[in-house]
Amino acid sequence: MASALCGGGSGSVAAPCGDLGAAAALAESLPMGAGYRAKSSFPAGRVALADRPLRRGLQVAAAAGQMNGNLTIGKAMRWWEKVTHPNMREVESAQDLADSLLNAGDKLVVVDFFSPGCGGCRALHPKIAQFAERNPDVLFLQVNYEKHKSMCYSLHVHVLPFFRFYRGAQGRVSSFSCTNATIKKFKDALAKHSPDRCSLGQARGLEEAELLALAANRDLEFTYNEKPTLVPIAEAIQMEAASIGGPWMPLPAAATQPLTLGSENGSLIPSGR
């Protein structure tokens, strides 16, 4: 059998040659791979198998083996991310929500409170995305209830799906819950508040009570600088007029004279008498 292999009596050979019967049978029974060396049943000692192309079935198996443990499966897209438009985005924090409303100017803002496990929210989402596509000037903000439970609690949101509409200096103009069966409420609110209009003053955003509730919530990183209290002009005039020496209602001349004690009964009389 040694004569069937090249290399004579060196004890090892580089590759089988000549009669391939026994060597081929051995090669088919051993794993194929570059530089693989295995013990042989031949008396000559060790046999080094030369590299040769793997059959297609073995190539597929080898590729699968290499990927085993290193295979990365792409993250499945969540349902509220499948259909989006440039005017739709998810809110990251309470501060993000408050700042987004203040920076929206006179633009209508729709805040959509949803939960990943809410069947009604999932069924309604494609229609909300259609409204967003048809109204590119309206900003749609999505608030994930599961991620922002504490914030939703401070904003008194306890039912889903839930929507709030904000517009410029008016602040919140509408607030309601609806599903596919009551989608008309959403359509009506959008038609009522989306037309172009000019409101005086800066955007109001969240109510002051809501801002104070968010600032008091220890679970949130929220900063609220309370605005100075604005007094109505009519009330300011009354307060100024009631003050002593106020410019709106001067005191009578007699009242401005110093008082002295009378000579007979000790009563107070104006010093001008």
Side-chain angles (χ1 to χ4, degrees):
M1 184 174 293
S3 62
L5 302 175
C6 299
S10 59
S12 64
V13 294
C17 62
D19 184 6
L20 300 180
L26 176 63
E28 290 293 334
S29 65
L30 294 176
M32 298 296 183
Y36 183 88
R37 299 181 64 88
K39 289 185 178 181
S40 166
S41 59
F42 289 99
R46 300 177 65 85
V47 176
L49 300 178
D51 294 339
R52 67 178 182 178
L54 298 177
R55 292 180 300 180
R56 181 173 181 81
L58 295 177
Q59 290 176 351
V60 174
Q66 291 176 359
M67 290 189 296
N68 186 26
N70 298 323
L71 181 61
T72 302
I73 300 176
K75 185 178 181 180
M77 184 175 291
R78 297 169 291 190
W79 60 260
W80 62 93
E81 298 174 336
K82 290 182 179 180
V83 183
T84 58
H85 300 285
N87 58 333
M88 299 178 66
R89 72 175 185 86
E90 188 173 345
V91 170
E92 299 297 333
S93 64
Q95 194 72 54
D96 181 23
L97 175 62
D99 293 344
S100 297
L101 293 174
L102 291 178
N103 296 331
D106 199 39
K107 180 182 295 186
L108 177 63
V109 181
V110 177
V111 182
D112 175 7
F113 296 87
F114 74 96
S115 173
C118 172
C121 302
R122 182 169 187 171
L124 192 60
H125 177 71
K127 292 187 177 180
I128 301 301
Q130 290 179 358
F131 287 125
E133 183 179 12
R134 297 170 186 171
N135 299 270
D137 294 332
V138 178
L139 177 61
F140 287 75
L141 299 178
Q142 299 170 292
V143 179
N144 189 331
Y145 182 86
E146 295 302 324
K147 291 174 59 178
H148 306 290
K149 285 184 179 180
S150 188
M151 177 180 73
C152 293
Y153 179 82
S154 296
L155 297 178
H156 304 290
V157 176
H158 305 295
V159 60
L160 298 174
F162 194 77
F163 301 92
R164 282 182 177 170
F165 286 57
Y166 295 84
R167 185 69 186 264
Q170 295 178 275
R172 189 201 304 175
V173 294
S174 187
S175 180
F176 57 90
S177 176
C178 77
T179 61
N180 271 332
T182 56
I183 191 63
K184 188 177 184 300
K185 289 196 294 185
F186 191 96
K187 293 180 180 179
D188 293 343
L190 192 62
K192 179 179 179 180
H193 301 293
S194 60
D196 294 337
R197 66 184 68 177
C198 181
S199 59
L200 300 178
Q202 65 180 12
R204 182 178 180 181
L206 297 176
E207 302 287 341
E208 185 174 4
E210 294 174 332
L211 294 171
L212 292 174
L214 292 175
N217 192 331
R218 297 182 179 181
D219 296 332
L220 305 176
E221 294 182 1
F222 184 81
T223 303
Y224 171 55
N225 297 323
E226 188 174 354
K227 299 177 182 179
T229 303
L230 299 179
V231 180
I233 184 63
E235 184 178 346
I237 293 175
Q238 292 177 356
M239 294 173 59
E240 190 70 20
S243 63
I244 298 177
W248 302 103
M249 188 180 294
L251 295 176
T256 60
Q257 298 177 358
L259 300 177
T260 58
L261 290 175
S263 57
E264 297 181 357
N265 54 10
S267 60
L268 294 175
I269 57 175
S271 60
R273 292 184 64 182

